[in-house]
Amino acid sequence: MIKAEQKPVDEILDFLKPHRKILLAGCNACVAVCHAGGEKEVGILSSALKMARKKAGQKIEILEDCSTRQCEPEFVQELKEKAEEVEAVLSIACGVGVQTVARMFSDIPVYPGLNTTFMGETDELGVWIERCQACGNCVLHVTGGVCPVARCAKQLLNGPCGGSQDGECEIGNDVPCAWQQIYDRLKTIGQLHRMEEIIPVKKWGRESRDKGPRTISREDLKL
Amino acid sequence: MKSGSNLEKILEKGLFAVTGELGPPKGNDIEVVKKKAEFLKGYVDAINITDNQTAIVRMSSIAAGALLVQMGLEPVIQMVTRDRNRIAMQSDIFGATALGVKNILCLTGDHQSFGNQVDSKNVHDMDSIQLIDCVRIMRDGGTILGGEEQIEGQIKMFIGAAANPFGDPFEFRVIRLAKKINAGVDFIQTQCIYDMKRFKEWMRMAGDMGLIEKVHILAGVTPLKSAGMARYMNKNVSGITIPDEFINRMAKAQKPAEEGIKICVEQIEELKEMDGIHGVHIMAIEWEHKMGQITEMAGLLPRPAVS
């Protein structure tokens, strides 16, 4: 799922300076799971902003709401009445949600309250780690279910560089070497021969982030 | 001949090759290149020019390599996949060969977090193995990567790559060597060898896989300057382990610098006798002026003139 972190309150206060009435819109999907932008966080951030503005002698009125999924126009539509009452929207959904709100309410400013960081899994309570970069052509079947694009600091496709030492990446900070993990996995599942295959150059330009926004169009699902 | 380079000729004749290393200046001061090159002249068959090593911004390896060509010396330009995409790298290979460069060393490159541009974005559009394959296609196929498009001119490059027998997972290190050979590498330079036991084990594994007949392996050595340097490298440089025996010898020595050279020469002597080792790559980092002494003591002089 998408993981995000709240921006520093001071940064949010800075871009809300010109406004006296806003809508603080959360999202009950991914960002609620990582405790950054769900209903609970809407309440906490709203109180923090109101207190800070009161202290600064510039009160702010904040309407609150939380969409089922802020990346879906039909759910964002439900915010319409509140959006019409305010000067701006502060969205604490991921970057996708912020953009859906901006598209739906095109005549008012929309500000991001979060930094969207990655697609990842829960490592332990309160700890999430990046696992996928949506490169557009999955190689996990070759790499034992461990992604070198997301997990190797150099996105190498043909095994560990010379800097892999005792399971650690050369960058240090206890970052595990993704290729050591791939090696261990392939060994365990009896597919070490996979390490011998040369993975050819990736089609970043056609399959990945470099061709403008990617679109999936499914004729079978269209109305 | 694939490239007609001096290094290729020496190795193809079965002579024991000697290469050195030159780190370009952190700026455009040509005198730095010339001074270091003069220290190496006559003692090596080719000179590696590092490509922004440890991610520190330096004069480009191709520009410094071209200066060496002008001096009548032979460069091996290092090319890391960290800083350029496949468009830039192929373009630079056109340019390098046009300027008289005949040897290339395809590398991944140290992570940018080690250098002086920590906020830069690394590229790795290709990895080192894919780069080897790319240069081979350019040279042997006469086309650019993935294209039917014929190259105007000929890319005559002797293709090298690195191998680190001291990286992990150890059992994979020979498989990685095999991948580089399959991708089309002509010669290999190893990481600095101090742990001879592990190096011999790696060579044995490479031999068992039939790899040592397929590629020229140049063994990498670096003379230690002091016990402090030895301890620092052992602790901080990933992929390098220095046995206590050497650290102790350096610590006890009256003249550590001389002891470091002595150890280096002993290593070269041992490597010279090893099956499958076709040369040494001496990385006397910021110690280029010691190259004459090291090669002399190791019995590597005079360097042969080949045609």
Side-chain angles (χ1 to χ4, degrees):
Chain A
M1 263 183 170
I2 291 174
K3 303 298 168 195
E5 283 179 296
Q6 193 189 294
K7 280 181 174 290
V9 173
D10 285 347
E11 187 185 344
I12 298 172
L13 283 167
D14 192 52
F15 53 56
L16 290 182
K17 250 180 203 163
H19 306 297
R20 280 172 300 179
K21 186 175 183 183
I22 64 156
L23 165 62
L24 174 49
C27 173
N28 264 327
C30 312
V31 292
V33 177
C34 64
H35 302 268
E39 216 163 332
K40 183 183 72 183
E41 291 75 32
V42 167
I44 296 168
L45 181 60
S46 177
S47 304
L49 293 172
K50 279 187 281 195
M51 269 160 46
R53 285 284 292 259
K54 193 176 173 187
K55 207 175 154 194
Q58 300 165 313
K59 274 190 176 176
I60 188 166
E61 190 180 341
I62 301 180
L63 308 185
E64 298 170 15
D65 211 318
C66 200
S67 302
T68 307
R69 285 196 298 276
Q70 222 183 83
C71 55
E72 301 277 359
E74 63 176 287
F75 292 122
V76 174
Q77 191 61 30
E78 293 168 4
L79 302 172
K80 195 168 184 278
E81 265 180 40
K82 283 178 182 162
E84 279 168 355
E85 278 182 56
V86 296
E87 297 164 28
V89 180
L90 173 65
S91 161
I92 55 169
C94 69
V96 181
V98 176
Q99 293 179 67
T100 307
V101 171
R103 182 163 69 88
M104 301 290 289
F105 310 127
S106 58
D107 55 348
I108 53 169
V110 177
Y111 300 105
L114 304 183
N115 289 323
T116 307
T117 41
F118 53 78
M119 278 185 278
E121 65 167 318
T122 305
D123 188 45
E124 58 181 278
L125 201 63
V127 180
W128 299 278
I129 310 182
E130 181 166 24
R131 289 292 181 248
C132 176
Q133 289 196 348
C135 75
N137 190 355
C138 195
V139 293
L140 286 168
H141 55 298
V142 189
T143 58
V146 175
C147 178
V149 176
R151 298 166 70 166
C152 166
K154 301 176 183 176
Q155 300 191 322
L156 302 181
L157 292 170
N158 282 291
C161 67
S164 175
Q165 200 93 67
D166 301 323
E168 256 192 59
C169 173
E170 70 177 22
I171 62 170
N173 303 323
D174 297 323
V175 174
C177 168
W179 275 101
Q180 174 77 54
Q181 294 176 313
I182 292 169
Y183 180 87
D184 293 342
R185 263 288 288 172
L186 290 174
K187 197 172 181 181
T188 307
I189 61 175
Q191 290 187 6
L192 213 47
H193 62 276
R194 292 277 195 195
M195 294 288 282
E196 295 166 24
E197 296 169 24
I198 293 181
I199 300 182
V201 280
K202 227 169 143 49
K203 295 172 182 169
W204 301 108
R206 262 181 278 180
E207 293 165 349
S208 189
R209 57 183 180 260
D210 290 345
K211 218 181 73 173
R214 288 170 282 180
T215 306
I216 297 172
S217 181
R218 287 270 304 269
E219 293 304 321
D220 57 325
L221 298 175
K222 287 181 182 173
L223 288 173
Chain B
M1 281 277 138
K2 290 169 173 170
S3 68
S5 76
N6 188 50
L7 181 61
E8 181 182 8
K9 286 175 190 166
I10 296 235
L11 289 169
E12 287 305 311
K13 279 189 194 291
L15 300 170
F16 194 79
V18 180
T19 55
E21 193 153 302
L22 188 156
K26 297 177 194 173
N28 62 357
D29 189 348
I30 294 173
E31 293 310 314
V32 176
V33 178
K34 286 186 173 167
K35 195 176 163 195
K36 286 183 175 177
E38 286 297 338
F39 284 135
L40 299 172
K41 202 171 184 174
Y43 305 131
V44 294
D45 305 314
I47 301 168
N48 265 236
I49 312 288
T50 52
D51 179 7
N52 297 296
Q53 77 266 30
T54 60
I56 302 279
V57 182
R58 290 173 183 270
M59 181 189 290
S60 89
S61 61
I62 294 169
L67 291 171
L68 255 64
V69 172
Q70 286 173 16
M71 293 176 73
L73 296 169
E74 179 164 295
V76 177
I77 55 142
Q78 297 192 353
M79 183 175 269
V80 300
T81 61
R82 180 192 59 222
D83 307 325
R84 279 165 286 188
N85 70 7
R86 66 192 77 174
I87 299 171
M89 283 195 277
Q90 292 181 100
S91 164
D92 279 349
I93 290 164
F94 288 169
T97 46
L99 290 166
V101 172
K102 293 174 181 169
N103 308 295
I104 187 170
L105 197 79
C106 305
L107 303 169
T108 304
D110 299 311
H111 194 268
Q112 69 273 23
S113 57
F114 292 111
N116 55 9
Q117 300 293 314
V118 295
D119 289 327
S120 64
K121 178 179 185 297
N122 63 14
V123 182
H124 300 297
D125 183 27
M126 293 198 262
D127 63 28
S128 60
I129 288 173
Q130 294 161 346
L131 175 58
I132 294 165
D133 189 42
C134 173
V135 186
R136 183 188 54 77
I137 290 167
M138 293 172 82
R139 183 190 66 197
D140 301 342
T143 69
I144 57 165
L145 193 69
E148 300 298 307
E149 209 169 326
Q150 285 294 314
I151 290 168
E152 296 174 294
Q154 282 184 316
I155 304 300
K156 295 195 166 181
M157 276 288 201
F158 197 46
I159 307 170
N164 185 3
F166 313 104
D168 288 322
F170 180 55
E171 307 75 33
F172 173 70
R173 292 294 149 184
V174 276
I175 298 172
R176 188 157 166 89
L177 174 66
K179 286 179 85 161
K180 290 186 177 183
I181 292 169
N182 290 337
V185 84
D186 301 307
F187 70 101
I188 289 287
Q189 291 175 189
T190 76
Q191 175 64 286
C192 314
I193 301 160
Y194 295 104
D195 185 347
M196 198 59 86
K197 199 175 149 210
R198 178 151 163 168
F199 182 69
K200 283 181 176 165
E201 177 62 8
W202 180 77
M203 282 297 288
R204 187 194 59 73
M205 290 161 82
D208 288 350
M209 284 174 74
L211 300 177
I212 59 175
E213 291 85 30
K214 293 179 181 167
V215 70
H216 299 291
I217 298 175
L218 309 186
V221 291
T222 290
L224 296 167
K225 294 179 188 174
S226 64
M229 171 192 175
R231 284 193 201 98
Y232 178 84
M233 284 174 72
N234 191 39
K235 191 165 173 254
N236 297 306
V237 181
S238 59
I240 289 187
T241 44
I242 303 180
D244 288 342
E245 178 205 338
F246 289 148
I247 297 175
N248 292 339
R249 270 180 69 177
M250 291 301 290
K252 283 180 192 153
Q254 295 280 340
K255 292 179 179 169
E258 290 303 310
E259 189 67 16
I261 288 173
K262 210 174 143 204
I263 291 171
C264 184
V265 170
E266 288 169 16
Q267 287 177 309
I268 295 172
E269 297 284 4
E270 193 170 355
L271 291 161
K272 264 166 52 178
E273 300 306 316
M274 218 180 277
D275 264 353
I277 298 296
H278 296 180
V280 276
H281 175 56
I282 307 169
M283 292 165 272
I285 304 155
E286 297 304 324
W287 231 20
E288 291 83 0
H289 61 284
K290 299 280 186 189
M291 280 297 283
Q293 188 188 347
I294 296 166
T295 49
E296 174 75 50
M297 284 173 70
L300 299 168
L301 300 181
R303 297 312 309 148
V306 290
S307 55

